[in-house]
Amino acid sequence: MKALSHIVMVLVVQLCSFSMVLGQGKFALSTTVAPMYRHFKSRNTIILPDNNGGTYTYIDKSEGSWRGSWFGLNGQYSFSPKWSATTGLWYNKSRLISGNTEARSHNFSIPLMINFQSSTRKLSPYFSVGSLWNLETTTHMYIDDIGPVVFKSGDKTFKISPTVGAGVIYNFSKHFTVIAQPTFSYVIPPVGFNSRTYQLLFHVQLMYRF
């Protein structure tokens, strides 16, 4: 969490600096709310502690779906009236119920997206492509044959998620804009982790242009 605090501080300083340097109309801040559906299929060998101070091997072969929501703060820079780039910090909270396993998970991601709107009219199609850099993850699981288990990811287990999206952007006024955009992400697993995961989101962003 200390490293995450440093990341948040750096992002806030950068976003504030951009707003002063880049000038009116080029920089915007937005909040994101995105209901989520994530499906996975995996087969992995897990080493777990036993009651005698040793360890034993557990073969985890599972498939299931996570449901939850993302919440985030974004900064956007417009290269032109139609092209822009977005970054920020997102927080996710989700839940899984699959067979004999129940789990709760939360994690953080940094998005890096390139955006294109096809026109400068009040309402326009809006497209995005880029990736999510998934940071710290904590998963609390309950498995019938084992009991409660906690998994925590670190720097060596981050995952990159290539992402594409298509939706609409609507400009209420010179300063306020709303974006509604479904996105699709494929999660690239860490080395040595055998899984296939995709994620569907429906983003709603409220944006303020400086």
Side-chain angles (χ1 to χ4, degrees):
M1 293 300 291
K2 186 176 181 180
L4 180 62
S5 299
H6 290 164
I7 292 172
V8 174
M9 186 177 299
V10 170
L11 284 172
V12 171
V13 171
Q14 287 179 340
L15 295 179
C16 292
S17 300
F18 287 163
S19 65
M20 293 184 292
V21 173
L22 297 177
Q24 185 176 3
K26 297 236 179 234
F27 184 77
L29 285 177
S30 66
T31 57
T32 294
V33 177
M36 178 209 79
Y37 172 82
R38 182 190 303 132
H39 187 78
F40 73 93
K41 186 175 183 179
S42 65
R43 186 182 188 280
N44 295 279
T45 301
I46 302 174
I47 306 299
L48 297 170
D50 60 24
N51 295 329
N52 299 318
T55 60
Y56 67 97
T57 300
Y58 174 74
I59 304 298
D60 177 43
K61 185 177 180 181
S62 58
E63 181 176 3
S65 299
W66 294 83
R67 290 174 174 82
S69 296
W70 285 91
F71 308 92
L73 176 67
N74 310 293
Q76 184 180 93
Y77 175 66
S78 297
F79 301 104
S80 71
K82 293 185 178 182
W83 289 93
S84 63
T86 301
T87 189
L89 183 66
W90 294 354
Y91 168 75
N92 169 251
K93 186 174 182 181
S94 54
R95 186 182 182 195
L96 162 75
I97 299 178
S98 176
N100 66 337
T101 302
E102 181 175 352
R104 292 175 291 108
S105 178
H106 62 85
N107 65 291
F108 294 87
S109 290
I110 295 176
L112 183 58
M113 308 294 292
I114 299 296
N115 313 299
F116 173 75
Q117 60 183 84
S118 60
S119 76
T120 57
R121 291 176 296 185
K122 206 173 186 69
L123 179 65
S124 170
Y126 188 81
F127 306 94
S128 299
V129 62
S131 65
L132 302 178
W133 181 23
N134 303 305
L135 301 175
E136 300 178 7
T137 301
T138 301
T139 303
H140 298 265
M141 304 183 68
Y142 185 88
I143 304 173
D144 286 348
D145 298 334
I146 299 174
V149 181
V150 178
F151 295 99
K152 292 186 177 182
S153 68
D155 294 337
K156 296 182 179 180
T157 57
F158 72 84
K159 297 178 288 293
I160 300 296
S161 303
T163 302
V164 294
V168 294
I169 183 170
Y170 182 77
N171 298 301
F172 281 104
S173 65
K174 180 179 178 180
H175 294 290
F176 288 99
T177 297
V178 170
I179 299 170
Q181 185 186 51
T183 64
F184 173 86
S185 301
Y186 177 78
V187 180
I188 299 176
V191 175
F193 194 80
N194 180 19
S195 71
R196 294 190 298 275
T197 305
Y198 67 86
Q199 177 176 258
L200 298 173
L201 303 177
F202 185 81
H203 293 268
V204 177
Q205 294 185 51
L206 177 61
M207 180 182 296
Y208 179 81
R209 299 183 185 274
F210 291 89

